[in-house]
Amino acid sequence: MYAGRTRLRVALRPRFFFNIGKLAIGWYIGSQGLDSTYGAAASVVVLLIWVYNSAQIVLFGAELTHVLGSDTRHQA
């Protein structure tokens, strides 16, 4: 049963970080006048930042799953 709870915690952590990133990007887009400073190029920059952050969160989740998964195998 311990491994099931560990998997649930590991699955929820990247989801939490993904939602924080989503809120941060939404706040940035909502609070900035993107068209006033950079025009259409600002949309491309925000999209690239979103893709980069999403990839980092996925990789962090995979690493966390690996580390916590290897810890539970040694405890049994």
Side-chain angles (χ1 to χ4, degrees), residues 19 21 52 68:
N19 283 331
Y52 174 77
L68 291 178

Side-chain angles (χ1 to χ4, degrees), residues 23-59:
L23 289 173
I25 293 289
W27 173 81
Y28 179 75
I29 291 172
S31 67
Q32 296 291 328
L34 295 177
D35 55 337
S36 64
T37 307
Y38 298 108
S43 300
V44 174
V45 171
V46 170
L47 178 67
L48 290 175
I49 291 171
W50 172 251
V51 169
Y52 174 77
N53 285 336
S54 298
Q56 291 300 315
I57 291 168
V58 167
L59 292 174

